[in-house]
Amino acid sequence: MGKTFQVVIGIIGRREQHLKRRVAAISAFTSSTKADYAVAEITVKSMLQAAFDHFPSKFEKIDVSVSNAGHLSNVAAIDDSDDEDWREGSETNTKRGFNAIRAFLPQAALYAVVLNANTGLATWHSILGLSSYSSSRIASAKLFEHPQVEHLDLSVVKVHPGVVEMAMTEKTWVTANDGRRFSGNETWTLY
């Protein structure tokens, strides 16, 4: 009785200045929220593992892991695509999920939750120039089903928020206004 509840948030990303701003904003939100960050490139397993290892030393085990990073190759039709650029985009989007899952599992609390924030473009109709992105993001969505089957104490939730304006969307013609084309602008699946 009389225990204080504290929310603790750890953020991992590759741009430190962006992470610092987010942590400051989260910490300013309420005094019961503690936030920290770790810099890592999601495709480099050792960096991501070190980042995940950083948080339990400060916060104990991790209750919720949110994975939402993605990579958009150059937007081009398949016959105009550079095969190395196309492969890099495809590999990055599947490898980041694999690395995130592997780094999280040893730090996961009992009955932890994995939230995979993906893109509606993975399941929406094909869009000119986005073959690497959309096909690799559907593969990533499928990948996130496996921790649930392999670790019955986990809850896995897959969600897509529709179209979110960000640096990546500037490479395409898709804008937040196109979000209305996605049914309800968000979907989720619990496994």
Side-chain angles (χ1 to χ4, degrees):
M1 193 159 173
K3 267 188 158 181
T4 303
F5 178 74
Q6 183 177 31
V7 175
V8 181
I9 299 172
I11 304 172
I12 300 171
R14 68 178 182 269
R15 295 174 286 184
E16 188 168 21
Q17 287 305 103
H18 182 72
L19 295 170
K20 283 180 178 179
R21 284 194 307 273
R22 294 293 178 239
V23 164
I26 291 166
S27 298
F29 184 69
T30 176
S31 61
S32 64
T33 301
K34 181 178 177 182
D36 194 12
Y37 71 89
V39 178
E41 173 55 54
I42 59 173
T43 58
V44 180
K45 185 169 63 171
S46 61
M47 287 181 75
L48 193 58
Q49 187 65 58
F52 269 92
D53 290 347
H54 167 79
F55 295 119
S57 67
K58 295 181 171 227
F59 307 147
E60 298 180 16
K61 290 290 189 176
I62 301 172
D63 294 306
V64 180
S65 176
V66 179
S67 180
N68 70 332
H71 174 76
L72 178 61
S73 299
N74 291 324
V75 177
I78 290 174
D79 55 345
D80 294 329
S81 293
D82 174 77
D83 56 335
E84 283 303 309
D85 179 61
W86 194 97
R87 181 204 51 78
E88 180 186 352
S90 182
E91 182 179 291
T92 298
N93 287 326
T94 50
K95 191 174 185 179
R96 65 99 193 163
F98 178 80
N99 286 348
I101 293 165
R102 291 279 306 263
F104 169 67
L105 288 173
Q107 306 302 342
L110 187 62
Y111 306 118
V113 176
V114 176
L115 177 67
N116 176 35
N118 208 324
T119 174
L121 294 174
T123 56
W124 202 34
H125 67 80
S126 297
I127 298 174
L128 177 65
L130 298 180
S131 63
S132 172
Y133 183 70
S134 61
S135 62
S136 62
R137 294 301 283 193
I138 194 71
S140 176
K142 190 67 176 172
L143 173 67
F144 273 86
E145 293 175 11
H146 289 270
Q148 180 68 72
V149 173
E150 297 167 3
H151 301 272
L152 298 178
D153 58 320
L154 289 178
S155 294
V156 178
V157 179
K158 296 187 301 184
V159 62
H160 82 73
V163 179
V164 178
E165 292 288 344
M166 56 194 341
M168 195 165 65
T169 55
E170 292 174 8
K171 291 174 72 174
T172 73
W173 58 266
V174 180
T175 67
N177 290 333
D178 294 307
R180 67 181 178 273
R181 296 182 187 164
F182 293 98
S183 177
N185 286 342
E186 77 177 47
T187 61
W188 58 273
T189 306
L190 178 62
Y191 288 92

